[in-house]
Amino acid sequence: MNLKIAVLPGDGIGPEVVLQAKKALYAISVMFDHEFIFEDALIGAVAIDKTGTALPEQTLNLCLNTDVVLLGTVGDGDPKYDNNPDAQKRPSQAVLKLRKELGLFANKRPIKTYATLMHSSPLKREIIEGTDFIIFRELTGGIYFSDKSLNDEKNKATDVCEYSEEEITRITHLAFQAAQKRRNKVTMVDKANVLETSRLWRNVVQKVAYDYPDVELNFLFVDTAAMQLVLNPRQFDVILTENLFGDILSDEASAITGSIGLLASASFGTKKALFEPIHKSFPQAKGKNIANPIASIVSAAMLLEHFGLTEEAKLVHEAIEKAIEYNVVTLDLNPGTSFGTNEVGEFVSNFILNKDDLMYFNNDNVHIGQSTIV
Ligand code: IPM
Ligand code: MG
């Protein structure tokens, strides 16, 4: 298969973790005879610093004209921008604009525990063992994108939350179809005891559910869902929810697995798709070779799955599991580790390449066919 992949390394640890994902993809292309062409472009705080805008036109055009987007991380947490309420330009604007422009209305976040990492979770083993669910988060609607205002005195603000039946229907179908391939259970999370938009969600979801009689549907209020996630995460198969609730619950859910550095997400619509880690840009770790690259590598595996390259994706997952099993992991998973971002990435790539020496990898290979456009 030929794939043109837009790579947006972004801020903080983004460039170093996405490099490991590229290495894994390059190794897959060698082993399965695919051609993957990577093209890098700027996004986030680095793009603001260099071009004055978080999502330069050139970056957006690249994303519109390639088959798929691989994103590193975008700099919320950078004190100059997202943590400063008065900043006019924010790295996160780039993420939101990209989602909207590429029509990425569905965001899929799988949460699964690794058998060998139970001890890394703050939750008890008996609670988390066997946890395996997916959050389907609506990504281009709701309070994130509806009208916002701040009065002239700057002492009163509004964020409207709006949803249409069409927006709810399209992601609901995807969630039910995913459940059919899993354990046939959808949990819709909302706040229907308070919010009108939540009541619309319930009605629409119930209507769509008639098309999937084999899938069990139940409802939870978001506050209860937040509690149930840590009390009994095994009960969930597919969680379906709106934009803001999905954002909050997926960060909470990531704690179950022991490290947010393990989880990735896929965002897609009818045409385009984007893959990225769930974690943030972690500027304090930038350039120190300590960031966990696994989430980014998992995002590469999800990219392969998206294009039907199931065997290839399986091999990437297997390589990750081996790295964890051999304890070739970063600080977040083993405080006494002697391995860094690059070593974990090398191990994974070399496992894919079936090398005897799992610690050898020639970084130069990754740059084949790559051009930097901004
Ligand atoms: C996420 C992030 C984004 C969001 C930010 C960076 C705008 O937290 O992808 O979960 O809130 O959607
Ligand atoms: Mg988030």
Side-chain angles (χ1 to χ4, degrees):
M1 182 179 277
N2 286 4
L3 280 182
K4 224 172 144 193
I5 304 172
V7 181
L8 315 183
D11 305 316
I13 59 170
E16 26 191 319
V17 295
V18 98
L19 176 65
Q20 314 311 320
K22 275 162 94 177
K23 283 185 195 170
L25 287 173
Y26 174 76
I28 288 289
S29 74
V30 170
M31 296 308 279
F32 292 83
D33 211 11
H34 299 304
E35 194 185 346
F36 298 155
I37 309 269
F38 303 106
E39 283 203 36
D40 285 22
L42 292 172
I43 193 168
V46 283
I48 298 179
D49 289 344
K50 286 198 182 141
T51 71
T53 151
L55 182 68
E57 200 69 15
Q58 259 178 302
T59 302
L60 179 59
N61 284 338
L62 177 74
C63 297
L64 289 167
N65 292 305
T66 39
D67 300 304
V68 64
V69 182
L70 192 64
L71 178 64
T73 60
V74 167
D76 37 350
D78 188 320
K80 251 195 315 193
Y81 302 111
D82 283 346
N83 281 347
N84 170 7
D86 295 323
Q88 291 303 310
K89 291 176 180 169
R90 300 166 177 279
S92 55
Q93 284 163 343
V95 179
L96 301 181
K97 182 153 185 231
L98 199 57
R99 288 173 182 167
K100 202 65 170 179
E101 297 280 341
L102 300 182
L104 309 173
F105 62 81
N107 180 234
K108 196 171 115 179
R109 300 187 167 187
I111 313 287
K112 201 173 169 174
T113 46
Y114 288 85
T116 45
L117 283 182
M118 296 290 168
H119 60 278
S120 304
S121 174
L123 300 180
K124 292 192 187 102
R125 184 188 191 100
E126 55 271 30
I127 288 179
I128 58 167
E129 201 157 33
T131 296
D132 179 5
F133 63 89
I134 297 186
I135 298 180
F136 266 80
R137 166 188 176 194
E138 200 290 327
L139 204 59
T140 50
I143 200 164
Y144 272 63
F145 289 94
S146 311
D147 290 344
K148 299 178 183 308
S149 73
L150 178 66
N151 70 354
D152 291 342
E153 293 77 37
K154 297 199 185 330
N155 60 9
K156 199 170 175 187
T158 59
D159 290 285
V160 176
C161 181
E162 196 175 281
Y163 266 111
S164 70
E165 176 164 2
E166 191 209 336
E167 286 174 308
I168 300 168
T169 304
R170 58 190 184 182
I171 185 167
T172 303
H173 278 291
L174 296 178
F176 275 84
Q177 284 156 14
Q180 281 182 322
K181 296 198 193 106
R182 297 171 49 89
R183 301 193 307 278
N184 291 296
K185 187 173 169 191
V186 170
T187 304
M188 154 94 234
V189 173
D190 59 33
K191 190 73 186 171
N193 50 346
V194 178
L195 302 176
E196 204 56 54
T197 42
S198 285
R199 290 190 275 272
L200 180 68
W201 267 87
R202 276 204 185 196
N203 283 333
V204 175
V205 169
Q206 252 156 347
K207 224 191 290 176
V208 173
Y210 287 122
D211 293 347
Y212 305 88
D214 51 332
V215 178
E216 176 195 336
L217 169 66
N218 57 7
F219 298 94
L220 277 185
F221 294 138
V222 63
D223 44 356
T224 312
M227 180 176 67
Q228 286 299 325
L229 271 178
V230 288
L231 286 182
N232 178 16
R234 259 196 307 270
Q235 70 184 285
F236 298 113
D237 180 22
V238 172
I239 292 179
L240 168 63
T241 191
E242 57 102 82
N243 205 345
L244 181 62
F245 298 160
D247 178 48
I248 298 166
L249 292 181
S250 57
D251 267 28
E252 185 194 356
S254 73
I256 298 170
T257 61
S259 171
I260 195 166
L262 298 169
L263 299 173
S265 91
S267 306
F268 46 95
T270 44
K271 294 190 196 82
K272 295 284 167 190
L274 176 149
F275 300 85
E276 62 180 316
I278 288 186
H279 61 70
K280 312 273 190 315
S281 64
F282 196 15
Q284 303 83 340
K286 182 185 170 159
K288 293 191 179 152
N289 196 35
I290 56 169
N292 189 344
I294 291 182
S296 192
I297 301 172
V298 171
S299 78
M302 291 174 86
L303 181 157
L304 294 167
E305 262 156 40
H306 179 79
F307 288 99
L309 304 176
T310 328
E311 279 304 301
E312 290 84 337
K314 230 173 88 191
L315 184 55
V316 176
H317 284 299
E318 213 184 302
I320 293 169
E321 271 156 34
K322 270 282 173 283
I324 293 172
E325 190 187 315
Y326 290 178
N327 220 1
V328 182
V329 293
T330 42
L331 266 183
D332 51 322
L333 296 177
N334 175 12
T337 192
S338 52
F339 302 110
T341 316
N342 205 40
E343 288 73 36
V344 176
E346 282 180 26
F347 180 96
V348 167
S349 314
N350 289 329
F351 182 89
I352 296 169
L353 290 167
N354 212 0
K355 287 244 168 75
D356 292 338
D357 179 359
L358 288 174
M359 293 315 294
Y360 165 81
F361 187 89
N362 182 358
N363 278 334
D364 296 342
N365 291 344
V366 169
H367 300 289
I368 291 172
Q370 173 185 321
S371 63
T372 303
I373 65 145
V374 180

